[in-house]
Each structure stands twice: as C-alpha cells, then as structure tokens.
Amino acid sequence: MPDANPRTFGELEPSKWPGERLGLPDSGPSSVGRVGRRIAALFVDYAFAVLIALLWAPYSSPTHSLVTLAVFAVMQIVFIPTIGGSIGHRLLGMQLVPIAGGWVGLWRPVVRTVLLVIVVPALVWDSDQRGFHDKVAGTVLIRR
C-alpha cells in the first residue's frame, strides 16, 4: 500500500492524465496543452523568428542561426508576460500560467526561455507533460 503522505517526489503515484496532480482537468479548457499542440506552437514561433531574423542576416549566412535564436528568445520573454504565451501558444489556443496562480511575472519567462533555448530541459518531461523548463519556472501550459 503506498504511503498516504509521500516524502519524496519518487514516491508519488504517476498521474492518470497530464495535469491530474496539478488539479487540472483531463480535457477541455484549463487542461494541460498536449504534445502535438505544443510542438506545433514551437514550429510557429520558430518560423516567425526565422522570418524576423531575415531582417538582420541573410538566410545562408552563419549569423542567421544565432539571430534567429535571439529573436525566438526575445519573443518568448516579451509575449509570455504580456499576452499569456508566445504567438504559437496563443494561435493554438494555449496559455502559460504559474502553478501558484496569478500573473506569470517577469522572471518565469526569462528562466523558462533560457532553459528552452538550450533544448535539453525541454526534452525531459514528467507524467504531467511539463518539461524541465516549466518545472523550474513553476509554470504549466494549459488549453484555453
């Protein structure tokens, strides 16, 4: 029989659905944004960043990749606290919210974006489908 009051994260039962341990519904509004929707939003954001980066560097230049990454990061840091998510998140019906509730603030988007840009933390997920970048920032991407 599992301990009623687990002492470590490893003692927690896995979620039956993404977001269950966070008190979020299985589907519909306020449920965790699923993988397909998240990946599509990432592609939308990156496509916008590529196009905007063309204003500063030709596509074939070595600096274009760095400019694209910088534009992508700035877009995340600016749009998450102002419109509740990136352009891709909003177009695909999602919003980034802090687990504790309230406004996402300024530090969460910065921390989340730095970790997202180095890619690896975004590939490490828990049973609530929250990447390491969201866990560290104390955020969750939900459907609206």
Side-chain angles (χ1 to χ4, degrees):
M1 173 187 267
D3 188 356
N5 296 313
R7 290 174 294 283
T8 66
F9 186 76
E11 294 176 358
L12 289 175
E13 291 290 324
S15 298
K16 292 180 182 69
W17 65 82
E20 176 193 25
R21 292 184 294 185
L22 305 173
L24 300 175
D26 182 23
S27 60
S30 296
S31 65
V32 171
R34 299 301 201 268
V35 177
R37 197 178 286 238
R38 293 172 71 114
I39 291 172
L42 185 62
F43 278 115
V44 168
D45 292 337
Y46 198 76
F48 272 111
V50 166
L51 293 173
I52 293 168
L54 288 172
L55 297 171
W56 287 281
Y59 187 74
S60 59
S61 78
T63 58
H64 187 266
S65 294
L66 291 175
V67 173
T68 299
L69 198 55
V71 168
F72 176 83
V74 168
M75 286 172 41
Q76 297 292 312
I77 291 168
V78 168
F79 290 130
I80 288 173
T82 57
I83 65 172
S86 68
I87 294 170
H89 294 153
R90 300 308 290 180
L91 287 175
L92 287 152
M94 296 183 293
Q95 180 178 0
L96 191 80
V97 297
I99 296 292
W103 181 52
V104 75
L106 298 175
W107 72 269
R108 288 183 198 335
V110 171
V111 169
R112 185 180 187 276
T113 300
V114 167
L115 292 172
L116 184 61
V117 166
I118 63 173
V119 178
V120 175
L123 299 176
V124 179
W125 294 34
D126 66 7
S127 64
D128 289 315
Q129 290 188 0
R130 289 175 59 221
F132 183 71
H133 60 298
D134 278 327
K135 292 180 76 67
V136 170
T139 58
V140 62
L141 193 57
I142 61 170
R143 291 180 54 195
R144 280 284 160 210

